[in-house]
Amino acid sequence: MASTYTVNSGIEKPGTGEQSGTWGATTNTNFDIIDRVLNGVGTLTLTGTTTTLSTSDGSLSDGHYRVLVLGGSPSGTNTITISPNDQSKFFAVYNGSGQSAVFTQGSGGNATIANGDFGLIYANGAGAGSAVTLMAFPVTSGQIAADAVATAKIADSAVTSAKIADGTIVAGDMADDAVTAAKLASDAVVNASVASGAAIAFSKMANLTTSRALVSDGNGDVSVSAVTSTEIGYLDGVTSNVQTQINNIAGYPQVITVLTSGSSYSIPSGAQAVLIRASGGGGSGGSSQFSGNYTTSGNVGGDTTVSNSTLSISITAKGGASGRGSTSGTALVQTGDSGGDVQSAAGAAGGAPGMNNFDISCSFGGNGNLVTKYVTGSNVGGETLTLSIGGGGSGATAGSTTSAPGQTGFVEITVW
C-alpha cells in the first residue's frame, strides 16, 4: 500500500508494510515539517510582482512556516499565491519588502498587508473559490482605560467633525493660537469675517513680482503688469502725449551709412527700423580700334549681397553687364536680383577709352542694379548685417586697346 499525505501540511503517512528500513528518513522529514508548521520562521524573498508560496507533499517547503518574513526587492505590489488551493493555512506575516503584499488562494477574496505592517491571515482551502482573510481583533471601549489614549496616539485626521457633537467644543476649549491656517478650509474666511478696522498689513499678503506697475485685471483685482518700474521711470518729465512725439520724429533717420567696402554692419541698439539700398558693381566698357583690328569687351560687375536670418533679409543686387567691343550695341543689365524692391541704374558703368580718329568707342557696360529693403520691428536694434560688396568689372586689354573698369557697388543703410 502506497504512502498518503495529510491534507493541510503534506506530512507523509507510509502505507502498511511500506518503507521497510527507511522509516527513519521519512519520520525525520515528517518531524521537521511538524516543527516548521508549529514554530517555524522563514524569509520569503519577493521579486517582480508575483510570488508562489507552495507546500509540497513529503518535503520541507516555504508553505510550512508558521511565521513569514517578507523581504526581497519587488518592483511593485506583489501578489503571493498560496498553493495548492485546497489546503487550509494560517500564517503570521511581517512585511518588510518595501511594497504591499496581497495574499490570494482563489477567487473568494484576498488579504493585503502593507509594507512595514504585521498581520495574521488564514486561507480556507476551498479550492478555486477559496478566500484569504486578514484577521482583526476589535477593541471595545470597556477594554480601554479612561486615560489610556493620549493625544500622541491620535492621528491628525482621526477625529472628524462627524465624531463631535454640536456645541461640544466652545471658545474656552481652544487655546488662543490653536487654529492655524492649515486647519482652515480654503473658503472658511470670507469678507464678513474681517473687521472693518482690521488694518491688515501688506506683509500678510502674498508678495507680487518686484518692480512692476500695478493694474486691475479682468476680475477687478490688483495684479502686476509687464511694465517695469524702470520703464515707468522713462516717463518722468514727459509733458505731452508720448505717441504724438514719436509720430513727429518717426520720419527722420538717426543714422545714414554708405559702405563701399567691408563685410558686416552692426545696427545700433534701440533701432526700430532699417532701410537698405544695395547696388552691384558697374560693368566695364568695351572698345574697338580699327587700326590693328583690336577689339576689347568689358567684364561683368560683381554682385552685392546683404543678409541677416533673424530679420529675414537676403538681398542680391546684380552687377552691371559688360560692354562689348563691337558695333552690335550696348549689352543689357544682368537679371536675378532678389530680396527687396528691384530698381536699375545704380552706379555708372566703366566707359571706353578715347583712341584715334579711326577708333570706335561703343557698347558701355550696363549699370549695376539697385535693390531696396525696408524692415521694422523691436528686434532690429543690435542685429548684424553680413555684407559682400560687388566690385566694378575689371578693364580688359586686347593688343593696345584697354576697356575702362566699372564702378564699385555700394550699400547704403538708413536707421531709425
Side-chain angles (χ1 to χ4, degrees):
M1 180 176 178
S3 295
T4 58
Y5 298 89
T6 59
V7 174
N8 296 313
S9 299
I11 298 173
E12 186 174 357
K13 299 187 291 184
T16 303
E18 294 292 327
Q19 300 187 18
S20 176
T22 61
W23 266 73
T26 300
T27 301
N28 288 342
T29 299
N30 287 340
F31 284 150
D32 288 339
I33 292 174
I34 293 170
D35 181 66
R36 184 174 288 191
V37 168
L38 291 176
N39 294 302
V41 178
T43 298
L44 188 61
T45 301
L46 308 183
T47 60
T49 58
T50 59
T51 303
T52 300
L53 179 59
S54 301
T55 300
S56 300
D57 288 342
S59 62
L60 284 171
S61 310
D62 288 342
H64 288 132
Y65 286 116
R66 173 62 63 228
V67 178
L68 294 175
V69 178
L70 306 183
S73 301
S75 58
T77 298
N78 195 280
T79 299
I80 302 172
T81 302
I82 300 172
S83 177
N85 60 12
D86 58 355
Q87 290 186 350
S88 298
K89 293 291 183 181
F90 174 78
F91 297 108
V93 182
Y94 171 70
N95 183 5
S97 69
Q99 300 286 345
S100 293
V102 179
F103 285 84
T104 184
Q105 195 181 34
S107 61
N110 302 327
T112 299
I113 298 179
N115 177 54
D117 284 358
F118 177 85
L120 301 177
I121 63 172
Y122 73 88
N124 61 16
S130 62
V132 180
T133 303
L134 178 63
M135 301 176 66
F137 302 95
V139 178
T140 64
S141 59
Q143 296 172 301
I144 304 173
D147 57 353
V149 180
T151 302
K153 304 298 184 185
I154 304 174
D156 291 342
S157 59
V159 180
T160 63
S161 59
K163 301 295 192 295
I164 304 172
D166 292 342
T168 302
I169 300 176
V170 297
D173 295 326
M174 295 183 289
D176 291 342
D177 57 354
V179 180
T180 63
K183 300 298 189 290
L184 296 176
S186 59
D187 57 351
V189 179
V190 297
N191 186 62
S193 305
V194 182
S196 58
I200 299 174
F202 280 103
S203 61
K204 298 297 191 294
M205 294 182 284
N207 291 329
L208 301 177
T209 304
T210 60
S211 302
R212 293 289 184 88
L214 300 182
V215 297
S216 57
D217 59 21
N219 298 319
D221 298 325
V222 174
S223 63
V224 296
S225 71
V227 180
T228 67
S229 58
T230 300
E231 292 168 338
I232 291 178
Y234 296 150
L235 300 177
D236 186 27
V238 173
T239 58
S240 63
N241 186 283
V242 175
Q243 186 60 52
T244 300
Q245 296 183 55
I246 293 174
N247 293 341
N248 289 337
I249 66 171
Y252 296 93
Q254 304 301 308
V255 179
I256 300 176
T257 303
V258 177
L259 301 173
T260 56
S261 64
S263 59
S264 65
Y265 173 79
S266 296
I267 300 174
S269 173
Q272 298 292 310
V274 61
L275 172 64
I276 303 168
R277 299 172 70 243
S279 174
S284 62
S287 64
S288 178
Q289 180 180 348
F290 287 101
S291 60
N293 294 321
Y294 296 128
T295 300
T296 304
S297 296
N299 291 310
V300 175
D303 298 345
T304 293
T305 62
V306 183
S307 64
N308 179 280
S309 59
T310 301
L311 303 179
S312 299
I313 295 174
S314 182
I315 297 172
T316 298
K318 301 294 290 183
S322 62
R324 294 196 295 269
S326 68
T327 59
S328 60
T330 302
L332 300 175
V333 296
Q334 296 193 97
T335 60
D337 308 275
S338 61
D341 297 325
V342 180
Q343 304 170 30
S344 61
M355 305 299 287
N356 55 45
N357 293 332
F358 297 100
D359 299 330
I360 297 174
S361 298
C362 64
S363 302
F364 289 91
N367 295 327
N369 288 355
L370 179 70
V371 178
T372 302
K373 177 76 171 181
Y374 181 63
V375 179
T376 63
S378 59
N379 61 339
V380 170
E383 286 296 315
T384 298
L385 302 177
T386 300
L387 313 173
S388 176
I389 299 175
S394 61
T397 300
S400 61
T401 302
T402 303
S403 64
Q407 181 173 325
T408 300
F410 68 88
V411 175
E412 180 183 280
I413 302 171
T414 304
V415 177
W416 286 266

